Amino acid sequence: MNNIRNFCIIAHIDHGKSTLADRFLEITGTVEKRNMRAQYLDQLDLERERGITIKMAPVRMEYSGYILNLIDTPGHSDFGYEVSRALAAVEGGILLVDATQGIQAQTLANFRSAKASGLTVLGAINKIDLFKNPEDRETISRLQKEVAELVGSTEDEVFLVSGKTGEGVMELLDEVIRRVPAPEGPHRLFEKNTSTEDSGFSKMNGGGRALIFDSFYDDHKGVMASVRVFDGEINPEQNVYLAAPDTVSKIKEVGYFKPQIRASKNLKTGEIGYIATGIKDTSLIKIGDTAISAAHHPDKIKSFILPGYKEPRPVVFVSFYPEENDDYELLKKSLEKLKLNDSALTIEPDQNEVLGRGYKVGFLGRLHFEITAERLKREYKVETVSTFPSVIYKIKTNREWLTIIKPEELPMEYEEIWEPIVKIAVLVPPKYLQSVYPLQARFRFTDITTETFQDQTEIRAMMPLAELVSDFDDQLKSATAGFASFSYEIADYAKADIVKTDILVAGDVVPGLSRFLPRNTVEKEARRMVEKLKETLPRQQFAQPIQARVNGKFIAREDIPAVKKQLGNFGKNGGDRTRKMKLWAKQKKGKERLQSRAQVRITPAIFKELIKK
Ligand SMILES: Nc1nc2c(ncn2[C@@H]2O[C@H](COP(=O)(O)OP(=O)(O)OP(=O)(O)O)[C@@H](O)[C@H]2O)c(=O)[nH]1
Ligand SMILES: [Mg+2]
């Protein structure tokens, strides 16, 4: 165990974690040079295309007599749950800071979580290849000082590296071996969670105990659990007991991430790898669960359960419907498999008059939703239509409190609408402070306090989650050329000045287009919606109104024009006049009948267009 080091790389988004990991893979000969490609650990197509890490990625490397288990983590705040799970599986972390950006919000947030998990954290400044001029020296040494102050080290303990050129990377890896402690038992997990106490697993008969920190599905081997072994040995001769579903299964295979899965004889204390459980039912695996292997399981096995993770709470909800009705089963299966690989998702069946049967899916944030929609399309080949993202509202009526997600569920009579609030921390370099102020009103900030953090300003405030979900991210980025950054946590509920807006086409409310909007911007948004509908809907046989309605009052209207059409062609000779009159009368009657039950068919494709930002 003394020759094992488990560590992760943590940083703000884009500070170069995956690129640094590339150099580690090269130095240790884990990936052959001819197979190397940039951000090698970003294996999903989507990760490669967007240039961001979505999933944590474990890899086992061997280097000068050591086994080094590295976990690369995502930087975006929507994927904080991935980071927290990686933290529980390792003893150390490299906190990477992009020299061109300096310390940003997720640098702070991730560092704080790593410390709270009891990790040894090494500070490193990345992208120093871009700072080679003599006048850059001052910038770098100032940043070195800031990072040292943050992680609590001396300035010269903050490494200067370039993931691009490889400069300083080998020295950093040597320091990981020196400074990160060898794997320890699970007491670190128990310390955080004082209610449980470990009852000495080592007494058990030759088996092993591991924390499941991730999972995925293999068509041949079934549910695969990514694990950190805390005690003993796990091998394919044994059975595995999964604590949460209280199930025992014969182990099919165990192995390491190289980073592709590679079978091995066993997994031992301190190691990171996978267990092929042979289980086909994806609902049996729970992230944070304890896997206990043994030839025979004793009765008191339950007392060996490790403290798992705090369950993530989805806060943004979107319903997905298959674009083709026949794909409902495919959507269902795909979501179940996705959930296995992304335990933060929640799924439950849903129904919509226009879109048919689908699923309501819960997410940790907007990017998480966008990424999932894309993964459905690419990895599972399901084309879907989705509704507007919504949050969980609490409705006060004169009798009770209701919890609703869809605006359609709002009762006719109610007293107040309450919405979820986040505690946000925005880190702004001085140059951009002015540009951030206007956003505070636009995104309904309250309880604003500011603090200086080194030479930057940290704005702390409360803000409706719905605003965060709309497009705070983009607006902040564009106002500050990407230099301001933020992190957030869900805080509380507050009474909201918002109203329900319905969209009506030809007099009928279109299900799925109703939304809660802030009272002061509702007119503008309603106008935008009806205009967009007018552009999108095909011309109808008869002119039809498109309206937006708030509290029984119409606040915006457009009309879909009628198709110009010829009312019967009776030839040059005009034909028989009475026949013509008769036909006209018939057409008029038909027109009235049609108009009285005019229905504009809103297809999934049209819906998709409308939901786009
Ligand atoms: N010049 C220079 N560019 C770098 C260096 N390291 C990374 N980059 C670039 O920075 C960008 C982000 O790199 P990634 O490695 O994907 O960053 P990341 O931290 O893994 O990003 P997320 O996982 O999405 O949080 C890419 O365009 C890299 O090419 C470096 O040392 N020097
Ligand atoms: Mg990355």
Side-chain angles (χ1 to χ4, degrees):
M1 211 158 67
N2 280 332
N3 67 337
I4 301 176
R5 296 291 181 275
N6 298 322
F7 68 105
C8 60
I9 311 177
I10 50 175
H12 191 79
I13 191 162
D14 272 352
H15 282 206
K17 297 173 287 296
S18 304
T19 307
L20 177 65
D22 287 348
R23 302 292 84 76
F24 288 154
L25 296 175
E26 258 171 25
I27 291 173
T28 58
T30 309
V31 175
E32 276 183 61
K33 223 174 175 116
R34 67 192 160 91
N35 294 333
M36 198 62 205
R37 51 179 192 178
Q39 289 95 36
Y40 189 88
L41 294 178
D42 288 345
Q43 298 273 338
L44 300 175
D45 284 349
L46 196 58
E47 293 184 307
R48 306 202 59 79
E49 201 164 294
R50 290 216 178 191
I52 55 168
T53 304
I54 297 163
K55 286 290 301 171
M56 66 162 128
V59 58
R60 175 183 167 112
M61 309 182 289
E62 272 145 48
Y63 176 68
S64 62
Y66 285 88
I67 293 166
L68 304 175
N69 289 305
L70 160 70
I71 304 183
D72 182 24
T73 65
H76 192 282
S77 44
D78 274 17
F79 306 119
Y81 183 52
E82 293 284 321
V83 182
S84 73
R85 276 155 38 219
L87 296 178
V90 299
E91 282 75 28
I94 296 174
L95 180 72
L96 203 59
V97 179
D98 183 336
T100 65
Q101 303 284 316
I103 291 172
Q104 292 195 282
Q106 286 303 331
T107 316
L108 296 181
N110 286 333
F111 171 72
R112 286 167 190 154
S113 337
K115 272 329 237 189
S117 300
L119 262 57
T120 300
V121 179
L122 278 60
I125 293 168
N126 191 28
K127 308 197 185 178
I128 53 149
D129 54 292
L130 301 171
F131 290 80
K132 285 294 156 198
N133 296 326
E135 66 268 24
D136 292 335
R137 200 172 305 146
E138 202 190 319
T139 317
I140 294 297
S141 74
R142 199 174 55 232
L143 185 54
Q144 223 169 350
K145 192 160 163 251
E146 288 170 6
V147 176
E149 217 169 278
L150 177 66
V151 302
S153 72
T154 62
E155 283 159 47
D156 42 329
E157 281 172 332
V158 175
F159 277 72
L160 301 181
V161 302
S162 165
K164 190 164 185 178
T165 66
E167 186 183 343
V169 174
M170 201 180 278
E171 290 80 354
L172 178 58
L173 198 58
D174 290 337
E175 187 73 356
V176 166
I177 294 173
R178 256 195 307 276
R179 295 250 312 272
V180 173
E184 302 153 354
H187 58 263
R188 191 162 56 85
L189 304 180
F190 285 98
E191 271 163 23
K192 277 202 301 174
N193 184 333
T194 45
S195 62
T196 355
E197 212 180 298
D198 198 9
S199 53
F201 175 80
S202 51
K203 293 182 202 93
M204 244 181 76
N205 51 34
R209 174 167 68 158
L211 172 73
I212 301 177
F213 63 83
D214 203 357
S215 62
F216 52 101
Y217 195 82
D218 182 286
D219 285 336
H220 305 291
K221 302 178 185 122
V223 171
M224 311 280 276
S226 306
V227 296
R228 154 67 196 265
V229 183
F230 277 99
D231 323 76
E233 177 186 318
I234 300 177
N235 65 55
E237 310 306 313
Q238 304 163 332
N239 294 312
V240 64
Y241 169 78
L242 299 179
D246 197 17
T247 300
V248 174
S249 172
K250 173 81 183 72
I251 296 177
K252 276 206 145 164
E253 182 182 302
V254 299
Y256 307 126
F257 299 101
K258 298 286 291 173
Q260 285 75 19
I261 56 168
R262 174 107 31 100
S264 68
K265 280 212 310 273
N266 52 34
L267 288 177
K268 288 190 173 147
T269 310
E271 291 189 321
I272 289 176
Y274 67 89
I275 303 172
T277 63
I279 293 171
K280 296 280 176 196
D281 179 355
T282 58
S283 69
L284 292 178
I285 196 102
K286 199 173 145 280
I287 302 302
D289 196 8
T290 309
I292 297 173
S293 76
H296 304 287
H297 286 98
D299 293 340
K300 56 180 277 256
I301 198 162
K302 284 230 162 99
S303 58
F304 299 131
I305 297 173
L306 299 166
Y309 300 112
K310 214 169 101 199
E311 293 252 334
R313 212 161 25 119
V315 290
V316 176
F317 293 83
V318 179
S319 291
F320 286 86
Y321 302 89
E323 213 167 278
E324 303 295 333
N325 267 332
D326 299 349
D327 284 347
Y328 175 76
E329 282 302 319
L330 180 62
L331 174 65
K332 176 173 186 236
K333 285 254 145 51
S334 307
L335 281 170
E336 281 166 358
K337 282 187 186 161
L338 250 183
K339 182 172 164 55
L340 191 65
N341 193 228
D342 183 353
S343 57
L345 290 177
T346 59
I347 51 182
E348 83 181 71
D350 201 5
Q351 197 68 265
N352 175 298
E353 275 173 56
V354 177
L355 304 167
R357 284 204 299 165
Y359 275 89
K360 184 165 76 194
V361 186
F363 302 97
L364 301 181
R366 182 171 186 114
L367 184 64
H368 188 210
F369 147 59
E370 287 173 3
I371 292 290
T372 307
E374 283 282 322
R375 288 188 72 182
L376 270 177
K377 187 160 141 187
R378 281 149 189 257
E379 292 166 41
Y380 299 93
K381 313 272 177 273
V382 206
E383 288 286 342
T384 55
V385 184
S386 52
T387 55
F388 286 113
S390 181
V391 298
I392 304 175
Y393 295 93
K394 291 188 175 164
I395 310 297
K396 188 179 173 195
T397 70
N398 56 11
R399 290 182 309 133
E400 58 184 344
W401 282 88
L402 303 169
T403 303
I404 70 167
I405 290 174
K406 293 185 192 175
E408 283 90 347
E409 296 163 340
L410 184 73
M412 290 291 281
E413 304 274 331
Y414 66 91
E415 287 171 359
E416 290 166 6
I417 304 178
W418 287 53
E419 65 178 339
I421 299 291
V422 299
K423 203 192 279 176
I424 189 161
V426 185
L427 200 58
V428 196
K431 197 173 149 195
Y432 296 102
L433 202 52
Q434 285 302 328
S435 346
V436 171
Y437 289 134
L439 298 182
Q440 299 184 356
R442 157 74 182 78
F443 288 96
R444 298 192 278 150
F445 276 33
T446 55
D447 307 313
I448 304 169
T449 58
T450 58
E451 217 173 286
T452 21
F453 176 83
Q454 297 175 340
D455 71 338
Q456 306 193 57
T457 303
E458 191 176 24
I459 303 171
R460 289 172 177 272
M462 304 302 252
M463 161 192 194
L465 174 62
E467 295 293 350
L468 182 70
V469 172
S470 70
D471 66 346
F472 179 72
D473 205 349
D474 290 349
Q475 299 267 341
L476 182 69
K477 265 204 204 99
S478 62
T480 63
F483 278 95
S485 56
F486 70 94
S487 66
Y488 68 90
E489 53 187 296
I490 302 292
D492 209 347
Y493 270 79
K495 191 173 150 191
D497 194 15
I498 54 180
V499 289
K500 183 180 112 179
T501 318
D502 290 322
I503 301 291
L504 295 81
V505 172
D508 291 331
V509 174
V510 183
L513 290 187
S514 297
R515 259 193 304 169
F516 286 118
L517 294 167
R519 197 184 299 275
N520 56 1
T521 54
V522 66
E523 280 206 28
K524 200 168 143 219
E525 183 57 23
R527 178 128 300 286
R528 203 186 67 87
M529 276 299 285
V530 294
E531 279 164 10
K532 195 150 183 203
L533 257 166
K534 183 182 172 183
E535 279 167 34
T536 322
L537 283 172
R539 290 184 163 219
Q540 303 291 315
Q541 209 169 358
F542 308 102
Q544 300 291 357
I546 308 168
Q547 295 155 298
R549 185 176 69 189
V550 169
N551 292 331
K553 219 177 101 202
F554 292 105
I555 61 166
R557 172 173 178 150
E558 288 287 334
D559 287 284
I560 324 172
V563 204
K564 288 209 180 65
K565 69 175 182 123
Q566 293 158 317
L567 266 185
N569 178 6
F570 301 99
K572 280 230 163 72
N573 305 332
D576 167 3
R577 184 165 167 82
T578 48
R579 207 184 110 224
K580 216 192 300 187
M581 292 298 286
K582 228 163 146 182
L583 255 173
W584 272 340
K586 197 167 150 201
Q587 276 178 347
K588 195 166 160 235
K589 218 160 147 199
K591 183 173 164 176
E592 272 161 10
R593 197 184 67 232
L594 270 176
Q595 210 157 21
S596 71
R597 49 178 198 112
Q599 265 203 347
V600 180
R601 207 174 111 67
I602 298 177
T603 61
I606 293 172
F607 209 91
K608 205 167 183 168
E609 196 54 39
L610 289 173
I611 294 287
K612 274 193 202 151
K613 257 204 263 178

